[in-house]
Amino acid sequence: MPDTHSFSAFNNFRKAAQAGEFLITAEVAPPKGGDPTHTIEMAATLKGRVHAVNITDGSRAVMGMSSLVASAILLQHGIEPICQFACRDRNRIGLQADLMGAHALGIRNILALTGDPVKAGDHPDAKAVFDLEAVRLLQLIRNMNQGVDFNHKPLTDGELDLFAGAAVDPQSKSWSGLQSRFEKKIAAGAQFFQSQLITDFEILEKFMDKIASSYNKPILAGIFLLKSAKNAQFINKAVPGVNIPDHIIDRLVKAKHPLEEGMKIAAEQVQIAKELCQGVHIMAVKREDLIAPILDLAGVGKVS
């Protein structure tokens, strides 16, 4: 039998969010295979530096270990997870089953996502589900927190206690669409937001002033570690809605050590975000071990 610590819930992220602290989260991909050692090692470098670690759920429709299982493994190692739930691969029965399972395992933080299209990933012929999308998933979580299922029938073995968040893209080309979607997620019960990769901080400031400021929910700006000019150019080409500006790419081109320059850029962006919103969500694909040094460069100390 696992020890009781394996099933103890962490609520540090929720407490910090509700206390108005500057929130720091980071993203770690689950393993592609049965050995979680590398994922655990990368997440362990973030202990004491972030409030919680996001575990992705088939990001970019690329297959990996279940986000629920990987989140439970991190919890067993004393690392608070934010478990991403995408609607692409499960219907409402499967989503409810996994949400109940997450709660039973002590996982409390959920990021509700619609999910990337199957055609974008490594199994383009797979059959997508999309029974729900992010707003309806948030509504479902709110129902389950109130002790009822999707059909408003009682959860006879206990209500859930999940802290649900959602994604937001302040750089969306449709300002009215952005506002409408954001407000629907608020109305559906989103308690925090993690943004897509931010490259235009003036747009972020406008979003905070014109839309987000009315709702008093934490917004975490997405900060991405650019490893080289080639990496930045690839992201511009491959990620819809992202436009890494030329002056950033020029810095990477001219840098003697592009990776170190990318870390400096990320640290500068953390400092800018700290003046604009209530947190940052740092993405350093396959180099999660560099997130703590980036925070050091940004002058951000350990979290409580």
Side-chain angles (χ1 to χ4, degrees):
M1 291 288 290
D3 61 38
T4 54
H5 175 72
S6 301
F7 295 95
S8 62
F10 289 174
N11 289 282
N12 295 335
F13 176 67
R14 185 190 326 212
K15 289 174 183 175
Q18 293 174 342
E21 294 180 28
F22 185 73
L23 302 171
I24 306 166
T25 60
E27 195 163 280
V28 174
K32 186 173 183 177
D35 183 358
T37 302
H38 181 69
T39 297
I40 295 166
E41 289 173 349
M42 290 296 100
T45 68
L46 301 168
K47 269 191 176 183
R49 302 309 306 269
V50 304
H51 291 92
V53 174
N54 276 57
I55 293 292
T56 57
D57 185 14
S59 178
R60 297 180 292 110
V62 174
M63 184 274 293
M65 181 183 285
S66 157
S67 58
L68 173 57
V69 172
S71 294
I73 290 170
L74 290 197
L75 198 59
Q76 289 175 339
H77 286 80
I79 300 163
E80 181 168 358
I82 297 174
C83 184
Q84 296 189 2
F85 266 67
C87 297
R88 178 190 57 244
D89 305 321
R90 287 163 286 194
N91 65 15
R92 66 195 68 181
I93 299 171
L95 287 165
Q96 289 175 101
D98 282 349
L99 287 165
M100 289 185 286
H103 182 273
L105 289 169
I107 295 164
R108 292 292 179 265
N109 308 308
I110 304 293
L111 190 74
L113 302 169
T114 298
D116 298 314
V118 165
K119 296 294 183 185
D122 60 352
H123 289 67
D125 295 326
K127 185 175 181 180
V129 180
F130 292 117
D131 185 23
L132 306 181
E133 44 68 53
V135 172
R136 294 181 77 197
L137 176 55
L138 286 164
Q139 293 168 340
L140 170 61
I141 293 169
R142 183 178 59 194
N143 284 353
M144 298 183 83
N145 282 345
Q146 294 171 349
V148 297
D149 67 11
F150 185 87
N151 295 320
H152 296 275
K153 299 292 178 62
L155 297 177
T156 54
D157 293 301
E159 65 190 26
L160 306 191
D161 179 26
L162 301 174
F163 190 58
V168 64
D169 184 7
Q171 297 169 153
S172 171
K173 291 181 179 178
S174 170
W175 192 255
S176 60
L178 166 64
Q179 181 167 0
S180 172
R181 188 78 173 155
F182 179 78
E183 290 175 347
K184 285 178 181 177
K185 289 178 178 180
I186 291 279
Q191 298 299 311
F192 68 94
F193 289 84
Q194 292 176 321
S195 92
Q196 308 288 3
L197 158 63
I198 297 292
T199 56
D200 188 332
F201 286 85
E202 290 183 3
I203 291 289
L204 175 63
E205 184 173 17
K206 180 183 176 184
F207 168 75
M208 294 302 302
D209 289 343
K210 303 292 186 183
I211 297 177
S213 61
S214 301
Y215 295 98
N216 197 31
K217 299 293 182 185
I219 308 294
L220 284 72
I223 308 293
F224 192 92
L225 172 61
L226 298 168
K227 303 179 187 73
S228 65
K230 185 177 179 181
N231 178 218
Q233 290 161 344
F234 171 79
I235 290 168
N236 272 349
K237 182 178 180 180
V239 182
V242 171
N243 181 27
I244 297 165
D246 289 341
H247 71 89
I248 294 289
I249 295 175
D250 289 343
R251 280 181 64 176
L252 293 165
V253 168
K254 294 173 183 176
K256 186 175 181 181
H257 301 290
L259 181 58
E260 291 181 10
E261 191 68 21
M263 292 172 65
K264 291 178 185 176
I265 292 166
E268 291 165 10
Q269 292 176 337
V270 170
Q271 291 173 324
I272 295 168
K274 199 169 183 181
E275 301 301 316
L276 300 176
C277 57
Q278 198 188 324
V280 289
H281 176 59
I282 305 177
M283 297 162 276
V285 180
K286 296 182 179 178
R287 289 309 309 264
E288 293 88 353
D289 56 307
L290 296 179
I291 291 174
I294 288 168
L295 292 169
D296 288 337
L297 286 171
V300 177
K302 291 188 175 184
V303 301
S304 55

